Amino acid sequence: MNHTRANDLLPFRRRTGPDRVLVVGGGLAGLFTALRLAPLPVTVLTPKPLGEGSSSAWAQGGIAAAIGAGDHADAHAADTIAAGAGLTDPEVARVVTSEAGDRIRDLLSYGVPFDRELDGKLRLSQEAAHSARRIVRVDGDRAGKAVMAALIATVAKTPSISVLENVEAVELVKRDGRVVGLYATRSGGHGRASFLAGRAVVLATGGIGHLFRVTTNPAEARGGGLAMAARAGAIIADPEFVQFHPTAFDVSRDPAPLASEAIRGDGGRLVNRDGERFMPAIDPRGELAPRDVVARGVHREIAAGRGAFLDVRALDLAHNFPTAYDVCTEAGIDPAKQPIPIAPAAHYHMGGVSTDMRGRTSLTGLWACGEVACTGLHGANRLASNSLLEAVVFAARVAADIAADAPHWPAMGEIEAPETIAVPVVAPAEEARLLKRLREAMAAHVGVERTAETLKTALSSLVDISRIPASPALANMTTAAILIAAAAHERRESRGAHCRLDFPSAKEKGRHTFMTLSDAVGIAARVTGKTPFDAVDASGVRVRAADLAG
């Protein structure tokens, strides 16, 4: 692996080799794609040093795979479909669950130290809405960290992979209908972005959690890949479906630490301030009901003033869930003696850039995998521990598709594109003010429970923000937020993670949302009477309403 510092972009700016692949994102999906593409030359762009700023590294529960005695992929697929509330693609569920065992073996070959029983077999845990013990973990609740450490070590030994650290992609570049590269800048933005050419571009940029005030995601999970793809004209699927994890630690930290679902699987109980369990009255599965059900239960207890807490006094948290125990210790909480305060937090985006079974988007030359993609697996509500599984399964499929396509790539001459473009530089105080305003609007009005009125209020605030010059990162966040809020406004039903208090029932047959950015802009304009993205600079990084009209 070749490491390149952010200020060393120059040698890569005009790299137009016939087989250069650009992978945007250094999390599990991005690194797994790069490894599976070897020996094709790959450049990975990551906004932080490898291992930092990735939601993958923070994943606690583990990876779901039907590899235990008596379990089978069909059962795993059935659980996935049931959790998806009518929107999971059955064929995608079948393929992903049937390929799970092979991807676990790949991870083992990369050195991932999954927990084992005394007889050497992989230790399997139970999580909510799974019909069997099928969660492969590492050291209880440290799966993500261990998986990323193993992949980073393997990438370091792979000569075909170059890594550009502290680099952010800000805009995709199309020529003759094909994505041919992107503009990238040093993290934080310094006024100029450099052009990087790529015969194939893979988005593996993660999710959108940081659009919300309370989230379990790192700051880098802010919808950048979703927004770039949308601006380039890609079809976005089901953006309204945002999963809120019901048990984030309410300890005044941003991002909010996560209390793994596996804690409830091992006997953790949800109680209010009076010590009363509230989930059994809501769902017969109690604490192991699907996440959307539990999140709403927790949200309503807090809204009613009764508070919500995770009671783990009967568990050995220090031994079985060391990450959660460390959070408690840092917050001054003794989990052996007192319940832990919790709150729902934006955790995972089921929607994303629409892809097919090969990870291809609607734009030629652009693939997507991981949380930025919408493959059809998660439907309206992701099943626990299916996210890391989907990431590796589709990363392998993306790599296989690109490798099969590479021999047929036509000759590509010099790409007509400026070597650099200007990007807005905004005063830090103004940027912070706009960021806070955006996150507050999303949390207050596009959260666990929504109505037409709250969504109109959110869209009005987002439109106003979109008309103020901002950095590429904040412009991307605003674009992603408008896509989510606009789609949520148009889905007049409650389904999975999307709960409309003014439309509490699901319609008989589920439908997917497929929209472009132009569609979202039209919805926002109709609802608010104001046009998003008007009166912006002409750098090309921001989108103008006039550009979308065509």
Side-chain angles (χ1 to χ4, degrees):
M1 176 187 71
N2 299 309
H3 271 286
T4 302
R5 298 188 305 276
N7 57 358
D8 292 332
L9 280 175
L10 184 61
F12 288 85
R13 283 199 315 208
R14 305 299 294 176
R15 182 73 177 257
T16 57
D19 51 6
R20 172 62 48 178
V21 179
L22 299 179
V23 175
V24 188
L28 174 58
L31 296 187
F32 203 90
T33 300
L35 287 168
R36 298 282 297 195
L37 278 168
L40 281 178
V42 177
T43 296
V44 176
L45 284 68
T46 173
K48 288 284 189 74
L50 285 183
E52 299 180 21
S54 163
S55 294
S56 302
W58 295 19
Q60 294 184 22
I63 304 177
I67 57 176
D71 197 8
H72 49 88
D74 287 346
H76 185 184
D79 292 343
T80 299
I81 292 167
L87 291 185
T88 292
D89 184 320
E91 179 61 13
V92 173
R94 185 194 66 78
V95 167
V96 171
T97 57
S98 65
E99 294 180 8
D102 288 340
R103 301 292 78 83
I104 294 296
R105 283 184 280 275
D106 288 338
L107 292 170
L108 286 169
S109 74
Y110 293 145
V112 177
F114 290 120
D115 293 344
R116 295 182 181 271
E117 304 288 358
L118 292 176
D119 60 4
K121 294 180 180 179
L122 293 177
R123 181 177 301 162
L124 303 175
S125 299
Q126 180 94 36
E127 287 191 357
H130 283 277
S131 59
R133 298 182 71 87
R134 62 168 69 103
I135 313 304
V136 183
R137 302 191 305 189
V138 179
D139 196 14
D141 57 1
R142 291 178 174 169
K145 183 177 180 180
V147 169
M148 284 299 296
L151 263 62
I152 290 168
T154 306
V155 165
K157 298 181 290 187
T158 306
S160 60
I161 301 174
S162 299
V163 177
L164 291 176
E165 296 184 322
N166 301 309
V167 170
E168 294 184 66
V170 296
E171 196 78 2
L172 296 173
V173 177
K174 286 197 308 181
R175 292 293 180 270
D176 300 322
R178 181 185 180 93
V179 174
V180 294
L182 53 83
Y183 283 100
T185 185
R186 285 179 283 176
S187 294
H190 288 76
R192 306 296 297 180
S194 299
F195 174 64
L196 303 179
R199 297 304 304 274
V201 177
V202 181
L203 292 178
T205 52
I208 50 81
H210 215 68
L211 301 182
F212 294 81
R213 180 176 54 80
V214 182
T215 179
T216 62
N217 294 175
E220 290 69 29
R222 56 194 181 197
L226 181 73
M228 287 189 293
R231 273 202 308 278
I235 294 173
I236 307 302
D238 296 338
E240 64 269 37
F241 292 110
V242 179
Q243 186 175 76
F244 294 85
H245 199 290
T247 54
F249 288 102
D250 190 7
V251 291
S252 301
R253 280 174 51 180
D254 183 20
L258 174 66
S260 167
E261 189 135 338
I263 295 176
R264 283 177 279 137
D266 282 5
R269 296 289 179 258
L270 298 180
V271 300
N272 59 26
R273 189 170 287 107
D274 296 327
E276 301 168 337
R277 288 180 66 193
F278 53 84
M279 281 308 304
I282 297 172
D283 190 288
R285 292 163 290 188
E287 285 79 4
L288 294 183
R291 283 181 176 175
D292 62 304
V293 177
V294 181
R296 287 194 291 274
V298 171
H299 171 77
R300 289 169 184 172
E301 286 296 307
I302 295 172
R306 294 186 289 268
F309 303 82
L310 179 63
D311 188 349
V312 296
R313 288 175 290 182
L315 305 181
D316 184 355
L317 201 70
H319 180 261
N320 293 316
F321 300 96
T323 301
Y325 182 79
D326 289 345
V327 171
C328 290
T329 300
E330 293 170 7
I333 298 169
D334 184 351
K337 297 180 179 179
Q338 63 190 111
I340 306 163
I342 58 169
H347 182 62
Y348 190 85
H349 194 202
M350 280 77 70
V353 184
S354 182
T355 71
D356 64 13
M357 293 284 286
R358 299 170 294 177
R360 293 190 177 199
T361 72
S362 59
L363 301 180
T364 303
L366 182 67
W367 287 256
C369 58
E371 193 172 349
V372 70
C374 183
T375 66
L377 176 68
H378 305 304
N381 191 40
R382 176 178 68 90
L383 184 64
S385 289
N386 266 358
S387 57
L388 297 185
L389 173 62
E390 181 198 41
V392 292
V393 167
F394 271 89
R397 286 180 154 260
V398 165
D401 191 51
I402 293 174
D405 197 42
H408 309 292
W409 284 340
M412 183 171 69
E414 190 75 3
I415 297 170
E416 293 297 323
E419 290 201 345
T420 66
I421 59 170
V423 295
V425 177
V426 182
E430 174 67 1
E431 186 88 351
R433 183 185 71 81
L434 292 173
L435 176 60
K436 180 179 179 181
R437 183 177 170 188
L438 182 150
R439 298 182 75 197
E440 291 284 357
M442 291 295 285
H445 307 303
V446 197
V448 175
E449 296 181 321
R450 307 158 174 179
T451 66
E453 194 60 33
T454 67
L455 293 166
K456 178 180 179 180
T457 300
L459 283 168
S460 181
S461 293
L462 295 170
V463 168
D464 290 343
I465 294 170
S466 78
R467 296 162 68 95
I468 302 171
S471 70
L474 185 56
N476 281 337
M477 292 179 73
T478 308
T479 300
I482 288 174
L483 285 162
I484 293 167
H489 185 277
E490 297 303 284
R491 183 173 287 276
R492 294 177 175 88
E493 65 166 355
S494 290
R495 184 179 296 276
H498 174 70
C499 178
R500 287 283 298 260
L501 294 179
D502 47 353
F503 294 97
S505 301
K507 296 178 180 178
E508 287 187 13
K509 187 175 182 180
R511 64 160 181 86
H512 290 281
T513 296
F514 295 106
M515 65 169 24
T516 63
L517 182 55
S518 182
D519 295 329
V521 165
I523 293 166
R526 168 170 52 82
V527 171
T528 67
K530 300 178 291 186
T531 303
F533 305 113
D534 236 341
V536 299
D537 62 87
S539 69
V541 173
R542 300 289 302 284
V543 174
R544 295 173 298 173
D547 296 331
L548 293 167

